[in-house]
Amino acid sequence: MKIHQQTNRCGRWNTSNLDLERVFFKFSPEAEEQFKYYIQNLGDLKNYNRNLIIIKSDFPKFESELEMCRQEIDHGQRFVILESMEGLAFDEIQMSCWIISNLLGTPLAQDQDGKRLIHIYDRDKTKRIKDGARYHQTHESGAIHTDNVNVLESWDYLLVGCVFPAMIGGENIIVSALSVHDFLESKAPDELAVLRENFWWEYRGISNNLYQAPIITYNKAGEPLFRYLRTYLESAHKKAQKPLSDKQIQALDALDATLNMSEFQIKHRLKAGQILVANDKQILHDRECFVDYPDSISVEEKHAGGNGILCRSLERTWVKKQEKH
Ligand SMILES: [Fe+2]
Protein backbone atom coordinates (compact mmCIF):
# COMPACT_ATOMS: atom_id res chain seq x y z
CA MET A 1 0.00 0.00 0.00
CA LYS A 2 1.20 3.53 -0.75
CA ILE A 3 1.03 6.32 1.77
CA HIS A 4 -1.29 9.15 0.85
CA GLN A 5 -1.42 12.47 2.59
CA GLN A 6 -4.84 13.69 1.51
CA THR A 7 -7.46 13.83 4.19
CA ASN A 8 -10.67 11.83 4.21
CA ARG A 9 -13.95 12.49 5.93
CA CYS A 10 -14.15 10.07 8.86
CA GLY A 11 -14.89 6.62 7.51
CA ARG A 12 -15.29 7.80 3.93
CA TRP A 13 -11.99 6.84 2.36
CA ASN A 14 -10.73 5.42 -0.88
CA THR A 15 -7.34 4.35 -2.18
CA SER A 16 -6.27 7.93 -2.84
CA ASN A 17 -6.95 9.39 0.58
CA LEU A 18 -6.67 6.56 3.15
CA ASP A 19 -4.31 7.69 5.91
CA LEU A 20 -1.99 4.75 6.50
CA GLU A 21 -0.46 6.30 9.58
CA ARG A 22 -3.83 5.80 11.22
CA VAL A 23 -4.25 2.26 9.85
CA PHE A 24 -1.11 0.64 11.29
CA PHE A 25 -0.84 0.85 15.06
CA LYS A 26 2.30 -0.12 16.95
CA PHE A 27 1.98 -0.44 20.70
CA SER A 28 4.61 1.44 22.72
CA PRO A 29 7.51 -0.63 24.15
CA GLU A 30 6.05 -0.21 27.65
CA ALA A 31 2.59 -1.43 26.57
CA GLU A 32 4.07 -4.36 24.67
CA GLU A 33 6.17 -5.35 27.69
CA GLN A 34 3.09 -5.33 29.94
CA PHE A 35 1.20 -7.50 27.49
CA LYS A 36 4.00 -10.00 26.93
CA TYR A 37 4.66 -10.30 30.65
CA TYR A 38 0.99 -11.17 31.16
CA ILE A 39 0.94 -13.79 28.39
CA GLN A 40 4.21 -15.36 29.40
CA ASN A 41 2.89 -15.92 32.92
CA LEU A 42 -0.31 -17.67 31.86
CA GLY A 43 1.26 -21.10 31.69
CA ASP A 44 -0.21 -23.66 29.30
CA LEU A 45 -1.67 -21.83 26.32
CA LYS A 46 -3.40 -24.84 24.73
CA ASN A 47 -6.52 -23.96 26.59
CA TYR A 48 -6.69 -20.28 25.71
CA ASN A 49 -10.25 -20.28 26.68
CA ARG A 50 -13.40 -18.71 27.81
CA ASN A 51 -12.70 -19.12 31.47
CA LEU A 52 -9.72 -16.82 31.51
CA ILE A 53 -10.75 -13.70 33.41
CA ILE A 54 -9.08 -10.71 31.86
CA ILE A 55 -8.59 -7.78 34.17
CA LYS A 56 -7.82 -4.51 32.43
CA SER A 57 -5.68 -3.25 35.31
CA ASP A 58 -3.21 -6.08 34.67
CA PHE A 59 -1.89 -4.09 31.69
CA PRO A 60 -3.05 -0.46 32.02
CA LYS A 61 -0.72 1.04 29.42
CA PHE A 62 -1.64 -1.57 26.81
CA GLU A 63 -5.32 -1.16 27.55
CA SER A 64 -5.23 2.65 27.28
CA GLU A 65 -3.47 2.43 23.92
CA LEU A 66 -6.06 -0.08 22.71
CA GLU A 67 -8.75 2.44 23.68
CA MET A 68 -7.12 4.92 21.27
CA CYS A 69 -7.52 2.29 18.55
CA ARG A 70 -11.17 1.87 19.49
CA GLN A 71 -11.72 5.58 18.77
CA GLU A 72 -10.29 5.08 15.30
CA ILE A 73 -12.46 1.99 14.71
CA ASP A 74 -15.63 3.65 16.04
CA HIS A 75 -15.25 7.15 14.64
CA GLY A 76 -12.22 7.31 12.36
CA GLN A 77 -11.42 5.24 9.29
CA ARG A 78 -13.32 2.35 10.95
CA PHE A 79 -10.45 -0.15 11.03
CA VAL A 80 -6.90 -0.56 12.29
CA ILE A 81 -4.18 -3.16 11.83
CA LEU A 82 -2.37 -3.81 15.09
CA GLU A 83 1.29 -4.41 14.39
CA SER A 84 2.96 -7.65 15.47
CA MET A 85 4.56 -7.75 18.87
CA GLU A 86 8.12 -8.98 18.61
CA GLY A 87 8.95 -12.52 19.57
CA LEU A 88 5.49 -14.01 20.16
CA ALA A 89 5.19 -17.76 19.45
CA PHE A 90 2.22 -19.08 17.47
CA ASP A 91 0.21 -19.97 20.58
CA GLU A 92 0.97 -16.59 22.13
CA ILE A 93 -0.40 -14.89 19.00
CA GLN A 94 -3.59 -16.95 19.35
CA MET A 95 -3.85 -15.90 22.96
CA SER A 96 -3.25 -12.24 22.11
CA CYS A 97 -6.25 -12.32 19.74
CA TRP A 98 -8.41 -13.69 22.51
CA ILE A 99 -7.22 -11.18 25.13
CA ILE A 100 -7.56 -8.16 22.82
CA SER A 101 -11.06 -9.30 21.85
CA ASN A 102 -12.04 -9.44 25.50
CA LEU A 103 -10.58 -6.02 26.18
CA LEU A 104 -12.70 -4.62 23.34
CA GLY A 105 -15.94 -6.27 24.50
CA THR A 106 -17.61 -9.67 24.57
CA PRO A 107 -16.69 -12.25 21.91
CA LEU A 108 -19.86 -13.94 20.60
CA ALA A 109 -20.52 -17.58 19.68
CA GLN A 110 -19.93 -18.19 15.96
CA ASP A 111 -21.25 -21.71 15.50
CA GLN A 112 -23.66 -24.22 16.95
CA ASP A 113 -20.99 -25.47 19.34
CA GLY A 114 -20.73 -22.01 20.84
CA LYS A 115 -17.13 -21.41 19.75
CA ARG A 116 -16.13 -17.82 20.23
CA LEU A 117 -12.58 -17.97 18.85
CA ILE A 118 -12.62 -19.54 15.40
CA HIS A 119 -9.55 -20.88 13.60
CA ILE A 120 -9.62 -19.92 9.94
CA TYR A 121 -7.73 -22.32 7.72
CA ASP A 122 -8.23 -24.49 4.66
CA ARG A 123 -9.67 -27.64 6.27
CA ASP A 124 -10.15 -29.62 3.10
CA LYS A 125 -8.88 -28.55 -0.32
CA THR A 126 -11.91 -30.17 -1.97
CA LYS A 127 -14.46 -28.05 -0.06
CA ARG A 128 -16.21 -25.35 -2.06
CA ILE A 129 -18.33 -22.41 -0.92
CA LYS A 130 -20.84 -23.06 -3.72
CA ASP A 131 -21.51 -26.50 -2.22
CA GLY A 132 -22.37 -25.03 1.17
CA ALA A 133 -19.01 -24.82 2.93
CA ARG A 134 -18.49 -21.82 5.17
CA TYR A 135 -16.07 -19.45 3.50
CA HIS A 136 -13.56 -19.43 6.38
CA GLN A 137 -13.06 -23.21 6.01
CA THR A 138 -11.81 -23.02 2.41
CA HIS A 139 -8.93 -21.49 0.45
CA GLU A 140 -11.20 -19.90 -2.14
CA SER A 141 -11.60 -16.19 -2.63
CA GLY A 142 -15.08 -15.14 -1.64
CA ALA A 143 -17.08 -12.04 -2.40
CA ILE A 144 -16.86 -8.74 -0.57
CA HIS A 145 -19.00 -8.94 2.53
CA THR A 146 -19.53 -8.21 6.18
CA ASP A 147 -19.40 -11.04 8.72
CA ASN A 148 -22.55 -10.01 10.56
CA VAL A 149 -24.85 -12.08 8.34
CA ASN A 150 -25.22 -15.32 10.30
CA VAL A 151 -27.04 -13.87 13.26
CA LEU A 152 -29.68 -11.19 13.60
CA GLU A 153 -28.04 -9.93 16.76
CA SER A 154 -26.01 -6.83 16.11
CA TRP A 155 -22.37 -6.76 17.13
CA ASP A 156 -19.54 -4.32 16.58
CA TYR A 157 -16.05 -5.56 15.79
CA LEU A 158 -14.53 -8.18 13.54
CA LEU A 159 -11.08 -9.19 14.74
CA VAL A 160 -8.84 -11.30 12.47
CA GLY A 161 -5.37 -12.13 13.72
CA CYS A 162 -2.73 -13.80 11.59
CA VAL A 163 -0.93 -16.68 13.28
CA PHE A 164 0.83 -17.65 10.06
CA PRO A 165 0.40 -16.50 6.44
CA ALA A 166 -0.04 -18.70 3.36
CA MET A 167 2.82 -19.69 1.06
CA ILE A 168 1.25 -17.48 -1.61
CA GLY A 169 -1.79 -15.20 -1.53
CA GLY A 170 -4.52 -14.68 1.02
CA GLU A 171 -4.52 -10.88 0.86
CA ASN A 172 -7.32 -9.17 2.73
CA ILE A 173 -9.44 -6.71 0.76
CA ILE A 174 -10.87 -3.84 2.80
CA VAL A 175 -13.61 -1.46 1.64
CA SER A 176 -15.29 1.53 3.32
CA ALA A 177 -19.05 0.98 3.53
CA LEU A 178 -19.57 4.72 3.94
CA SER A 179 -17.80 5.51 0.66
CA VAL A 180 -19.72 2.78 -1.16
CA HIS A 181 -22.97 4.10 0.25
CA ASP A 182 -22.18 7.67 -0.89
CA PHE A 183 -21.32 6.44 -4.36
CA LEU A 184 -24.60 4.52 -4.65
CA GLU A 185 -26.51 7.53 -3.37
CA SER A 186 -25.18 9.63 -6.22
CA LYS A 187 -25.15 7.00 -9.01
CA ALA A 188 -27.91 4.54 -8.15
CA PRO A 189 -30.46 6.01 -5.69
CA ASP A 190 -33.26 3.65 -6.79
CA GLU A 191 -31.06 0.61 -6.20
CA LEU A 192 -29.98 2.03 -2.84
CA ALA A 193 -33.63 2.31 -1.81
CA VAL A 194 -34.10 -1.43 -2.51
CA LEU A 195 -31.06 -2.26 -0.37
CA ARG A 196 -32.83 -0.56 2.55
CA GLU A 197 -35.70 -3.06 2.32
CA ASN A 198 -35.83 -6.51 3.91
CA PHE A 199 -34.02 -9.53 2.45
CA TRP A 200 -33.95 -13.11 3.70
CA TRP A 201 -30.92 -14.42 5.60
CA GLU A 202 -29.89 -17.77 7.00
CA TYR A 203 -28.15 -18.75 10.24
CA ARG A 204 -25.57 -20.75 8.28
CA GLY A 205 -23.55 -23.01 10.56
CA ILE A 206 -25.77 -22.15 13.53
CA SER A 207 -29.31 -23.36 12.79
CA ASN A 208 -31.70 -24.00 9.89
CA ASN A 209 -33.84 -20.99 10.68
CA LEU A 210 -34.14 -17.90 8.52
CA TYR A 211 -34.61 -14.25 9.36
CA GLN A 212 -35.26 -10.99 7.50
CA ALA A 213 -33.22 -7.78 7.58
CA PRO A 214 -32.20 -5.01 5.17
CA ILE A 215 -28.70 -4.84 3.69
CA ILE A 216 -28.39 -1.18 4.66
CA THR A 217 -29.70 0.44 7.83
CA TYR A 218 -28.63 3.63 9.60
CA ASN A 219 -27.35 4.46 13.07
CA LYS A 220 -28.49 7.40 15.20
CA ALA A 221 -25.91 9.64 13.54
CA GLY A 222 -27.41 8.81 10.14
CA GLU A 223 -24.37 6.76 9.09
CA PRO A 224 -25.00 3.64 6.98
CA LEU A 225 -24.55 0.17 8.48
CA PHE A 226 -24.14 -2.84 6.19
CA ARG A 227 -25.09 -6.52 6.43
CA TYR A 228 -24.02 -8.29 3.27
CA LEU A 229 -22.85 -11.62 1.89
CA ARG A 230 -24.57 -12.32 -1.40
CA THR A 231 -24.15 -16.10 -1.58
CA TYR A 232 -25.69 -16.57 1.86
CA LEU A 233 -28.53 -14.17 1.00
CA GLU A 234 -29.29 -16.00 -2.27
CA SER A 235 -29.27 -19.31 -0.47
CA ALA A 236 -31.70 -17.93 2.16
CA HIS A 237 -34.09 -16.66 -0.52
CA LYS A 238 -34.13 -20.14 -2.07
CA LYS A 239 -34.83 -21.79 1.28
CA ALA A 240 -37.60 -19.25 1.99
CA GLN A 241 -39.01 -19.93 -1.49
CA LYS A 242 -38.94 -16.18 -2.14
CA PRO A 243 -37.07 -15.74 -5.42
CA LEU A 244 -35.23 -12.45 -5.75
CA SER A 245 -37.15 -9.93 -7.85
CA ASP A 246 -35.63 -8.22 -10.88
CA LYS A 247 -35.39 -5.03 -8.82
CA GLN A 248 -33.57 -6.83 -6.03
CA ILE A 249 -31.12 -8.44 -8.46
CA GLN A 250 -30.48 -5.05 -10.08
CA ALA A 251 -29.79 -3.56 -6.64
CA LEU A 252 -27.42 -6.39 -5.64
CA ASP A 253 -25.59 -6.08 -8.96
CA ALA A 254 -25.20 -2.32 -8.43
CA LEU A 255 -23.78 -2.96 -4.97
CA ASP A 256 -21.37 -5.66 -6.20
CA ALA A 257 -20.21 -3.52 -9.12
CA THR A 258 -19.43 -0.68 -6.70
CA LEU A 259 -17.69 -2.95 -4.17
CA ASN A 260 -15.48 -4.23 -6.96
CA MET A 261 -14.28 -0.80 -8.10
CA SER A 262 -10.53 -0.69 -7.55
CA GLU A 263 -10.64 2.83 -6.11
CA PHE A 264 -12.57 1.48 -3.11
CA GLN A 265 -10.39 -1.58 -2.40
CA ILE A 266 -7.35 -1.60 -0.11
CA LYS A 267 -5.41 -4.87 -0.17
CA HIS A 268 -3.11 -6.02 2.60
CA ARG A 269 -1.57 -9.40 3.33
CA LEU A 270 -1.48 -9.83 7.08
CA LYS A 271 1.90 -10.83 8.50
CA ALA A 272 2.28 -13.23 11.41
CA GLY A 273 1.16 -11.41 14.55
CA GLN A 274 -0.74 -8.62 12.80
CA ILE A 275 -4.36 -8.23 13.84
CA LEU A 276 -7.05 -6.53 11.77
CA VAL A 277 -9.80 -4.97 13.87
CA ALA A 278 -12.71 -3.56 11.87
CA ASN A 279 -16.06 -2.00 12.55
CA ASP A 280 -17.89 -4.85 10.84
CA LYS A 281 -20.97 -2.84 9.87
CA GLN A 282 -18.97 -0.05 8.25
CA ILE A 283 -16.11 -2.01 6.68
CA LEU A 284 -16.66 -4.70 4.07
CA HIS A 285 -13.94 -7.23 3.43
CA ASP A 286 -12.87 -10.22 1.43
CA ARG A 287 -9.88 -12.47 1.08
CA GLU A 288 -8.03 -13.48 -2.05
CA CYS A 289 -7.43 -17.17 -2.70
CA PHE A 290 -4.24 -18.68 -1.36
CA VAL A 291 -2.09 -21.78 -1.36
CA ASP A 292 -0.38 -23.30 1.67
CA TYR A 293 3.06 -24.89 1.82
CA PRO A 294 3.02 -28.60 0.89
CA ASP A 295 2.47 -30.82 3.94
CA SER A 296 1.73 -27.85 6.18
CA ILE A 297 -0.02 -28.57 9.48
CA SER A 298 -2.82 -26.90 11.41
CA VAL A 299 -2.46 -25.14 14.75
CA GLU A 300 -4.27 -28.05 16.41
CA GLU A 301 -1.65 -30.46 15.05
CA LYS A 302 1.07 -28.07 16.21
CA HIS A 303 -0.46 -27.97 19.70
CA ALA A 304 -0.47 -31.78 19.69
CA GLY A 305 3.29 -31.75 19.12
CA GLY A 306 3.32 -31.95 15.34
CA ASN A 307 6.35 -30.77 13.44
CA GLY A 308 6.17 -28.83 10.25
CA ILE A 309 5.35 -25.47 8.83
CA LEU A 310 1.92 -24.09 9.66
CA CYS A 311 -0.81 -23.68 7.09
CA ARG A 312 -2.36 -20.23 6.70
CA SER A 313 -3.88 -19.80 10.14
CA LEU A 314 -6.00 -16.92 11.31
CA GLU A 315 -8.01 -16.42 14.47
CA ARG A 316 -11.35 -14.67 14.29
CA THR A 317 -13.73 -13.19 16.85
CA TRP A 318 -16.98 -11.26 16.61
CA VAL A 319 -17.05 -8.77 19.43
CA LYS A 320 -19.96 -6.90 20.95
CA LYS A 321 -19.07 -3.71 22.76
CA GLN A 322 -20.07 -3.35 26.37
CA GLU A 323 -22.82 -0.81 26.81
CA LYS A 324 -21.83 2.27 28.76
CA HIS A 325 -23.90 2.78 31.87
FE1 LIG B 1 -15.41 -12.52 6.46
Side-chain angles (χ1 to χ4, degrees):
M1 288 196 274
K2 292 178 191 166
I3 293 178
H4 299 279
Q5 299 299 334
Q6 299 170 41
T7 55
N8 56 59
R9 287 184 302 124
C10 299
R12 292 169 167 82
W13 52 260
N14 55 42
T15 52
S16 63
N17 65 10
L18 181 72
D19 184 349
L20 285 185
E21 288 192 9
R22 284 161 58 194
V23 170
F24 291 98
F25 185 85
K26 180 81 179 153
F27 287 99
S28 68
E30 186 191 342
E32 220 176 284
E33 273 316 301
Q34 276 179 358
F35 192 80
K36 283 190 203 166
Y37 180 80
Y38 180 85
I39 281 200
Q40 283 156 5
N41 285 286
L42 284 175
D44 181 10
L45 295 182
K46 277 181 198 163
N47 300 317
Y48 53 87
N49 64 44
R50 312 130 195 218
N51 301 324
L52 177 68
I53 296 167
I54 291 151
I55 301 166
K56 291 183 177 184
S57 57
D58 281 344
F59 21 63
K61 180 75 176 158
F62 184 89
E63 204 268 336
S64 72
E65 292 183 12
L66 188 62
E67 285 304 310
M68 284 160 47
C69 295
R70 189 200 295 276
Q71 288 304 310
E72 182 63 21
I73 302 160
D74 284 351
H75 306 295
Q77 296 182 128
R78 316 298 156 116
F79 78 103
V80 296
I81 294 173
L82 305 176
E83 288 286 17
S84 317
M85 290 182 260
E86 297 297 316
L88 290 187
F90 83 97
D91 50 358
E92 292 173 330
I93 295 173
Q94 285 186 292
M95 180 56 94
S96 66
C97 294
W98 181 242
I99 294 171
I100 290 169
S101 299
N102 278 275
L103 288 173
L104 287 170
T106 305
L108 300 184
Q110 299 181 45
D111 63 18
Q112 54 206 358
D113 299 328
K115 278 194 196 135
R116 295 189 283 162
L117 182 72
I118 291 279
H119 309 314
I120 301 177
Y121 64 100
D122 185 11
R123 288 156 206 239
D124 178 347
K125 291 178 175 45
T126 64
K127 276 192 176 173
R128 292 288 179 273
I129 299 165
K130 69 179 174 59
D131 299 326
R134 284 182 74 178
Y135 152 78
H136 72 266
Q137 299 178 352
T138 75
H139 65 280
E140 293 178 277
S141 60
I144 300 172
H145 65 279
T146 64
D147 268 21
N148 63 324
V149 292
N150 293 63
V151 289
L152 179 58
E153 184 182 2
S154 176
W155 43 273
D156 303 287
Y157 307 128
L158 164 69
L159 183 144
V160 178
C162 179
V163 178
F164 199 76
M167 182 175 83
I168 299 172
E171 284 181 323
N172 286 99
I173 302 171
I174 302 164
V175 175
S176 159
L178 287 84
S179 294
V180 166
H181 174 273
D182 285 2
F183 184 84
L184 287 169
E185 199 165 42
S186 65
K187 296 281 184 187
D190 294 343
E191 286 81 352
L192 181 61
V194 175
L195 300 174
R196 294 177 183 131
E197 296 168 2
N198 270 346
F199 286 81
W200 283 95
W201 299 94
E202 57 183 10
Y203 293 90
R204 189 180 289 210
I206 296 173
S207 82
N208 290 322
N209 296 333
L210 302 174
Y211 67 92
Q212 291 187 82
I215 291 171
I216 297 176
T217 54
Y218 297 86
N219 63 16
K220 284 180 190 160
E223 295 171 345
L225 308 172
F226 277 52
R227 171 191 302 271
Y228 188 55
L229 203 171
R230 184 161 179 169
T231 50
Y232 284 20
L233 176 154
E234 288 174 336
S235 168
H237 272 259
K238 269 190 193 158
K239 284 183 185 165
Q241 299 185 318
K242 301 279 185 196
L244 288 162
S245 68
D246 290 347
K247 268 190 173 178
Q248 286 176 316
I249 291 170
Q250 167 74 11
L252 296 177
D253 289 347
L255 175 55
D256 283 344
T258 308
L259 291 172
N260 282 286
M261 288 170 62
S262 59
E263 68 187 77
F264 292 129
Q265 295 188 355
I266 293 294
K267 287 192 182 185
H268 176 71
R269 186 169 183 263
L270 290 173
K271 301 182 184 79
Q274 284 186 329
I275 300 173
L276 166 69
V277 190
N279 178 329
D280 190 56
K281 289 176 279 193
Q282 296 190 316
I283 291 289
L284 294 111
H285 66 276
D286 190 16
R287 174 208 69 209
E288 297 286 21
C289 63
F290 63 90
V291 61
D292 284 321
Y293 291 91
D295 305 319
S296 55
I297 63 172
S298 68
V299 285
E300 276 94 351
E301 289 168 315
K302 194 92 171 167
H303 275 298
N307 276 321
I309 198 156
L310 279 171
C311 61
R312 181 181 187 270
S313 305
L314 275 66
E315 299 293 325
R316 181 182 75 194
T317 55
W318 297 339
V319 177
K320 189 172 174 66
K321 266 196 294 201
Q322 258 120 36
E323 301 295 334
K324 284 187 181 157
H325 297 290

